[in-house]
Short mmCIF file of all heavy atoms in Angstrom, two decimals:
data_model
loop_
_atom_site.label_atom_id
_atom_site.label_comp_id
_atom_site.label_asym_id
_atom_site.label_seq_id
_atom_site.Cartn_x
_atom_site.Cartn_y
_atom_site.Cartn_z
N LEU V 83 -13.26 -10.74 -10.67
CA LEU V 83 -13.70 -10.51 -12.05
C LEU V 83 -12.61 -10.84 -13.02
O LEU V 83 -12.75 -11.59 -14.02
CB LEU V 83 -14.17 -9.06 -12.31
CG LEU V 83 -14.74 -8.68 -13.63
CD1 LEU V 83 -15.52 -7.39 -13.53
CD2 LEU V 83 -13.64 -8.41 -14.67
N ALA V 84 -11.42 -10.27 -12.76
CA ALA V 84 -10.25 -10.46 -13.68
C ALA V 84 -9.90 -11.94 -13.78
O ALA V 84 -9.63 -12.44 -14.84
CB ALA V 84 -9.07 -9.64 -13.21
N LYS V 85 -9.87 -12.65 -12.68
CA LYS V 85 -9.60 -14.05 -12.67
C LYS V 85 -10.58 -14.86 -13.46
O LYS V 85 -10.20 -15.74 -14.25
CB LYS V 85 -9.48 -14.59 -11.24
CG LYS V 85 -9.08 -16.04 -11.14
CD LYS V 85 -8.88 -16.45 -9.73
CE LYS V 85 -8.46 -17.96 -9.60
NZ LYS V 85 -8.30 -18.38 -8.20
N ALA V 86 -11.82 -14.54 -13.28
CA ALA V 86 -12.94 -15.25 -14.04
C ALA V 86 -12.80 -15.02 -15.48
O ALA V 86 -13.22 -15.91 -16.31
CB ALA V 86 -14.27 -14.87 -13.44
N GLU V 87 -12.40 -13.85 -15.87
CA GLU V 87 -12.35 -13.48 -17.32
C GLU V 87 -10.96 -13.69 -17.95
O GLU V 87 -10.76 -13.45 -19.13
CB GLU V 87 -12.75 -12.01 -17.49
CG GLU V 87 -14.19 -11.69 -16.98
CD GLU V 87 -15.25 -12.51 -17.76
OE1 GLU V 87 -14.99 -12.90 -18.93
OE2 GLU V 87 -16.31 -12.62 -17.20
N GLY V 88 -10.04 -14.24 -17.22
CA GLY V 88 -8.67 -14.56 -17.72
C GLY V 88 -7.85 -13.33 -18.00
O GLY V 88 -7.01 -13.36 -18.94
N ILE V 89 -8.03 -12.32 -17.18
CA ILE V 89 -7.21 -11.07 -17.33
C ILE V 89 -6.15 -11.01 -16.23
O ILE V 89 -6.51 -11.08 -15.03
CB ILE V 89 -8.15 -9.80 -17.25
CG1 ILE V 89 -9.19 -9.89 -18.32
CG2 ILE V 89 -7.33 -8.54 -17.38
CD1 ILE V 89 -10.30 -8.82 -18.21
N ALA V 90 -4.96 -10.98 -16.59
CA ALA V 90 -3.85 -10.88 -15.60
C ALA V 90 -3.91 -9.50 -14.85
O ALA V 90 -4.23 -8.52 -15.52
CB ALA V 90 -2.49 -11.03 -16.25
N VAL V 91 -3.58 -9.51 -13.60
CA VAL V 91 -3.61 -8.22 -12.82
C VAL V 91 -2.22 -7.87 -12.36
O VAL V 91 -1.51 -8.72 -11.83
CB VAL V 91 -4.60 -8.38 -11.62
CG1 VAL V 91 -4.52 -7.09 -10.77
CG2 VAL V 91 -6.03 -8.64 -12.07
N THR V 92 -1.86 -6.62 -12.62
CA THR V 92 -0.69 -6.03 -12.06
C THR V 92 -1.01 -5.01 -10.97
O THR V 92 -1.83 -4.15 -11.25
CB THR V 92 0.18 -5.37 -13.15
OG1 THR V 92 0.60 -6.35 -14.14
CG2 THR V 92 1.44 -4.67 -12.56
N ALA V 93 -0.42 -5.15 -9.78
CA ALA V 93 -0.60 -4.25 -8.73
C ALA V 93 0.38 -3.13 -8.76
O ALA V 93 1.66 -3.34 -8.92
CB ALA V 93 -0.44 -4.99 -7.37
N TYR V 94 -0.04 -1.84 -8.69
CA TYR V 94 0.86 -0.76 -8.46
C TYR V 94 0.64 -0.17 -7.19
O TYR V 94 -0.34 -0.40 -6.48
CB TYR V 94 0.69 0.28 -9.63
CG TYR V 94 -0.50 1.12 -9.73
CD1 TYR V 94 -0.73 2.20 -8.83
CD2 TYR V 94 -1.49 0.87 -10.69
CE1 TYR V 94 -1.84 2.96 -8.92
CE2 TYR V 94 -2.62 1.66 -10.80
CZ TYR V 94 -2.80 2.73 -9.91
OH TYR V 94 -3.89 3.48 -9.98
N SER V 95 1.60 0.64 -6.68
CA SER V 95 1.60 1.29 -5.36
C SER V 95 1.47 0.23 -4.26
O SER V 95 0.68 0.34 -3.39
CB SER V 95 0.52 2.32 -5.28
OG SER V 95 0.74 3.39 -6.17
N SER V 96 2.25 -0.86 -4.40
CA SER V 96 2.14 -1.96 -3.43
C SER V 96 2.48 -1.53 -1.98
O SER V 96 2.10 -2.29 -1.06
CB SER V 96 3.13 -3.09 -3.85
OG SER V 96 2.73 -3.62 -5.14
N PHE V 97 3.14 -0.44 -1.81
CA PHE V 97 3.49 0.00 -0.45
C PHE V 97 2.53 1.08 0.06
O PHE V 97 2.78 1.70 1.08
CB PHE V 97 4.96 0.52 -0.39
CG PHE V 97 5.96 -0.46 -0.95
CD1 PHE V 97 7.00 -0.04 -1.75
CD2 PHE V 97 5.81 -1.82 -0.73
CE1 PHE V 97 7.89 -0.98 -2.28
CE2 PHE V 97 6.74 -2.73 -1.24
CZ PHE V 97 7.77 -2.28 -2.03
N GLY V 98 1.40 1.22 -0.65
CA GLY V 98 0.31 2.02 -0.11
C GLY V 98 0.59 3.50 -0.09
O GLY V 98 1.06 4.05 -1.10
N PRO V 99 0.46 4.17 1.10
CA PRO V 99 0.54 5.63 1.10
C PRO V 99 1.95 6.15 0.85
O PRO V 99 2.10 7.34 0.53
CB PRO V 99 0.09 5.98 2.58
CG PRO V 99 0.29 4.70 3.35
CD PRO V 99 0.00 3.58 2.37
N ALA V 100 2.93 5.31 0.88
CA ALA V 100 4.35 5.82 0.77
C ALA V 100 4.59 6.58 -0.54
O ALA V 100 5.29 7.57 -0.52
CB ALA V 100 5.30 4.60 0.87
N SER V 101 3.91 6.16 -1.61
CA SER V 101 4.11 6.83 -2.89
C SER V 101 3.49 8.16 -3.01
O SER V 101 3.71 8.95 -3.93
CB SER V 101 3.53 5.92 -4.03
OG SER V 101 4.24 4.72 -4.11
N PHE V 102 2.59 8.49 -2.04
CA PHE V 102 1.76 9.67 -2.21
C PHE V 102 1.97 10.77 -1.15
O PHE V 102 1.36 11.81 -1.22
CB PHE V 102 0.27 9.22 -2.23
CG PHE V 102 -0.06 8.25 -3.31
CD1 PHE V 102 0.09 6.85 -3.01
CD2 PHE V 102 -0.35 8.66 -4.56
CE1 PHE V 102 -0.23 5.97 -4.01
CE2 PHE V 102 -0.56 7.75 -5.63
CZ PHE V 102 -0.52 6.37 -5.28
N LEU V 103 2.91 10.52 -0.27
CA LEU V 103 3.13 11.52 0.76
C LEU V 103 3.66 12.82 0.18
O LEU V 103 3.33 13.91 0.67
CB LEU V 103 4.20 10.98 1.80
CG LEU V 103 3.73 9.75 2.63
CD1 LEU V 103 4.90 9.20 3.42
CD2 LEU V 103 2.56 10.13 3.51
N GLU V 104 4.43 12.77 -0.84
CA GLU V 104 5.00 13.96 -1.48
C GLU V 104 3.99 14.87 -2.06
O GLU V 104 4.26 16.02 -2.33
CB GLU V 104 6.07 13.57 -2.54
CG GLU V 104 5.47 12.89 -3.73
CD GLU V 104 6.56 12.29 -4.59
OE1 GLU V 104 7.09 11.27 -4.23
OE2 GLU V 104 6.84 12.91 -5.64
N PHE V 105 2.74 14.32 -2.29
CA PHE V 105 1.68 15.15 -2.85
C PHE V 105 0.85 15.87 -1.74
O PHE V 105 -0.10 16.60 -2.09
CB PHE V 105 0.79 14.28 -3.76
CG PHE V 105 1.49 13.64 -4.91
CD1 PHE V 105 1.67 12.30 -4.90
CD2 PHE V 105 1.88 14.45 -6.00
CE1 PHE V 105 2.34 11.66 -5.96
CE2 PHE V 105 2.59 13.84 -7.05
CZ PHE V 105 2.78 12.43 -7.08
N GLY V 106 1.18 15.59 -0.53
CA GLY V 106 0.41 16.20 0.57
C GLY V 106 -0.91 15.66 0.85
O GLY V 106 -1.78 16.34 1.41
N PHE V 107 -1.14 14.43 0.38
CA PHE V 107 -2.51 13.79 0.62
C PHE V 107 -2.68 13.59 2.11
O PHE V 107 -1.94 12.89 2.74
CB PHE V 107 -2.57 12.44 -0.10
CG PHE V 107 -2.60 12.56 -1.63
CD1 PHE V 107 -2.69 11.36 -2.38
CD2 PHE V 107 -2.57 13.74 -2.29
CE1 PHE V 107 -2.75 11.41 -3.75
CE2 PHE V 107 -2.58 13.78 -3.70
CZ PHE V 107 -2.68 12.65 -4.44
N LYS V 108 -3.70 14.26 2.62
CA LYS V 108 -3.89 14.18 4.12
C LYS V 108 -4.23 12.72 4.55
O LYS V 108 -3.86 12.29 5.63
CB LYS V 108 -5.02 15.13 4.54
CG LYS V 108 -4.51 16.65 4.47
CD LYS V 108 -5.63 17.55 4.95
CE LYS V 108 -5.05 18.91 5.24
NZ LYS V 108 -4.37 19.51 4.04
N HIS V 109 -5.01 12.01 3.69
CA HIS V 109 -5.36 10.63 4.14
C HIS V 109 -4.18 9.72 4.06
O HIS V 109 -4.10 8.73 4.74
CB HIS V 109 -6.59 10.13 3.32
CG HIS V 109 -6.38 9.95 1.87
ND1 HIS V 109 -5.76 10.90 1.08
CD2 HIS V 109 -6.78 8.99 1.03
CE1 HIS V 109 -5.76 10.49 -0.19
NE2 HIS V 109 -6.37 9.33 -0.25
N ALA V 110 -3.21 10.04 3.19
CA ALA V 110 -1.96 9.22 3.18
C ALA V 110 -1.06 9.54 4.42
O ALA V 110 -0.50 8.62 5.01
CB ALA V 110 -1.14 9.53 1.90
N GLN V 111 -1.05 10.81 4.77
CA GLN V 111 -0.27 11.22 5.95
C GLN V 111 -0.83 10.71 7.25
O GLN V 111 -0.14 10.44 8.21
CB GLN V 111 -0.19 12.78 5.96
CG GLN V 111 0.63 13.33 4.76
CD GLN V 111 0.44 14.82 4.70
OE1 GLN V 111 -0.44 15.41 5.33
NE2 GLN V 111 1.30 15.47 3.88
N ALA V 112 -2.18 10.48 7.29
CA ALA V 112 -2.83 10.12 8.53
C ALA V 112 -2.68 8.57 8.80
O ALA V 112 -2.90 8.16 9.91
CB ALA V 112 -4.33 10.44 8.43
N LEU V 113 -2.30 7.84 7.80
CA LEU V 113 -2.20 6.36 7.96
C LEU V 113 -0.82 5.93 8.45
O LEU V 113 0.18 6.60 8.17
CB LEU V 113 -2.52 5.63 6.63
CG LEU V 113 -3.98 5.75 6.13
CD1 LEU V 113 -4.08 5.34 4.68
CD2 LEU V 113 -4.84 4.83 7.03
N VAL V 114 -0.81 4.82 9.15
CA VAL V 114 0.51 4.24 9.52
C VAL V 114 1.15 3.76 8.23
O VAL V 114 0.53 2.98 7.48
CB VAL V 114 0.30 3.12 10.49
CG1 VAL V 114 1.66 2.39 10.80
CG2 VAL V 114 -0.28 3.55 11.82
N PRO V 115 2.39 4.12 7.96
CA PRO V 115 3.09 3.58 6.80
C PRO V 115 3.15 2.02 6.87
O PRO V 115 3.39 1.46 7.90
CB PRO V 115 4.47 4.19 6.83
CG PRO V 115 4.35 5.42 7.72
CD PRO V 115 3.25 5.08 8.74
N LEU V 116 2.83 1.42 5.73
CA LEU V 116 2.77 0.00 5.71
C LEU V 116 4.11 -0.65 6.09
O LEU V 116 4.13 -1.72 6.73
CB LEU V 116 2.28 -0.57 4.35
CG LEU V 116 0.75 -0.39 4.10
CD1 LEU V 116 0.51 -0.66 2.64
CD2 LEU V 116 -0.03 -1.33 4.99
N MET V 117 5.19 0.01 5.77
CA MET V 117 6.52 -0.50 6.16
C MET V 117 6.74 -0.53 7.61
O MET V 117 7.65 -1.19 8.13
CB MET V 117 7.56 0.28 5.46
CG MET V 117 7.54 0.33 3.94
SD MET V 117 8.12 -1.20 3.23
CE MET V 117 8.48 -0.64 1.60
N LYS V 118 5.98 0.28 8.39
CA LYS V 118 6.02 0.37 9.82
C LYS V 118 4.85 -0.23 10.54
O LYS V 118 4.77 -0.21 11.78
CB LYS V 118 6.27 1.82 10.24
CG LYS V 118 7.57 2.40 9.71
CD LYS V 118 7.73 3.83 10.16
CE LYS V 118 9.05 4.41 9.64
NZ LYS V 118 9.25 5.83 10.04
N ASP V 119 3.91 -0.75 9.78
CA ASP V 119 2.69 -1.31 10.36
C ASP V 119 3.05 -2.57 11.23
O ASP V 119 3.94 -3.39 10.94
CB ASP V 119 1.75 -1.82 9.23
CG ASP V 119 0.54 -2.50 9.75
OD1 ASP V 119 -0.42 -1.75 10.16
OD2 ASP V 119 0.54 -3.72 9.79
N ASP V 120 2.41 -2.64 12.42
CA ASP V 120 2.79 -3.73 13.38
C ASP V 120 2.67 -5.10 12.78
O ASP V 120 3.51 -5.95 13.00
CB ASP V 120 1.88 -3.58 14.59
CG ASP V 120 2.23 -2.42 15.50
OD1 ASP V 120 3.29 -1.86 15.31
OD2 ASP V 120 1.45 -2.07 16.35
N LEU V 121 1.57 -5.32 12.06
CA LEU V 121 1.36 -6.64 11.39
C LEU V 121 2.54 -6.98 10.42
O LEU V 121 3.10 -8.04 10.45
CB LEU V 121 0.04 -6.75 10.72
CG LEU V 121 -0.23 -8.02 9.93
CD1 LEU V 121 -0.16 -9.26 10.85
CD2 LEU V 121 -1.57 -7.95 9.17
N ILE V 122 2.72 -6.02 9.58
CA ILE V 122 3.76 -6.21 8.45
C ILE V 122 5.16 -6.39 9.03
O ILE V 122 5.87 -7.35 8.64
CB ILE V 122 3.72 -5.12 7.46
CG1 ILE V 122 2.31 -4.89 6.87
CG2 ILE V 122 4.75 -5.28 6.38
CD1 ILE V 122 1.78 -6.12 6.15
N THR V 123 5.49 -5.59 10.06
CA THR V 123 6.82 -5.72 10.63
C THR V 123 6.97 -7.00 11.45
O THR V 123 8.02 -7.66 11.46
CB THR V 123 7.14 -4.53 11.53
OG1 THR V 123 6.11 -4.34 12.50
CG2 THR V 123 7.25 -3.26 10.74
N SER V 124 5.85 -7.45 12.06
CA SER V 124 5.91 -8.71 12.80
C SER V 124 6.09 -9.90 11.91
O SER V 124 6.81 -10.84 12.16
CB SER V 124 4.72 -8.90 13.71
OG SER V 124 3.50 -9.11 12.88
N LEU V 125 5.38 -9.83 10.73
CA LEU V 125 5.62 -10.86 9.68
C LEU V 125 6.99 -10.86 9.07
O LEU V 125 7.59 -11.96 8.80
CB LEU V 125 4.50 -10.78 8.65
CG LEU V 125 3.08 -11.07 9.08
CD1 LEU V 125 2.11 -10.78 7.96
CD2 LEU V 125 2.95 -12.48 9.59
N ALA V 126 7.51 -9.69 8.92
CA ALA V 126 8.92 -9.60 8.39
C ALA V 126 9.90 -10.24 9.35
O ALA V 126 10.80 -10.99 8.88
CB ALA V 126 9.28 -8.14 8.17
N ALA V 127 9.69 -10.10 10.64
CA ALA V 127 10.53 -10.74 11.66
C ALA V 127 10.32 -12.22 11.63
O ALA V 127 11.30 -13.02 11.71
CB ALA V 127 10.24 -10.14 13.00
N LYS V 128 9.04 -12.62 11.52
CA LYS V 128 8.77 -14.07 11.48
C LYS V 128 9.38 -14.85 10.33
O LYS V 128 9.90 -15.94 10.51
CB LYS V 128 7.22 -14.24 11.42
CG LYS V 128 6.74 -15.66 11.29
CD LYS V 128 5.25 -15.76 11.21
CE LYS V 128 4.74 -17.16 10.95
NZ LYS V 128 3.22 -17.24 10.96
#
């Protein structure tokens, strides 16, 4: 939608659950941190 309407998009919380662990969000704690995700770490190595 934003692209079609010419609205620039800024992403926040790009690292996902990492920003929200301190709030005790259970769904954040249950997820693999993106910095340690197998796909992300394998691409970092690549």
Side-chain angles (χ1 to χ4, degrees):
L83 182 161
K85 183 176 181 179
E87 300 297 338
I89 302 171
V91 176
T92 297
Y94 70 76
S95 298
S96 294
F97 306 140
S101 296
F102 302 92
L103 294 173
E104 65 192 76
F105 300 109
F107 291 179
K108 287 183 169 53
H109 62 318
Q111 295 168 345
L113 289 166
V114 175
L116 284 168
M117 299 285 200
K118 297 180 180 179
D119 177 82
D120 287 345
L121 173 62
I122 303 303
T123 55
S124 67
L125 292 176
K128 174 179 176 178

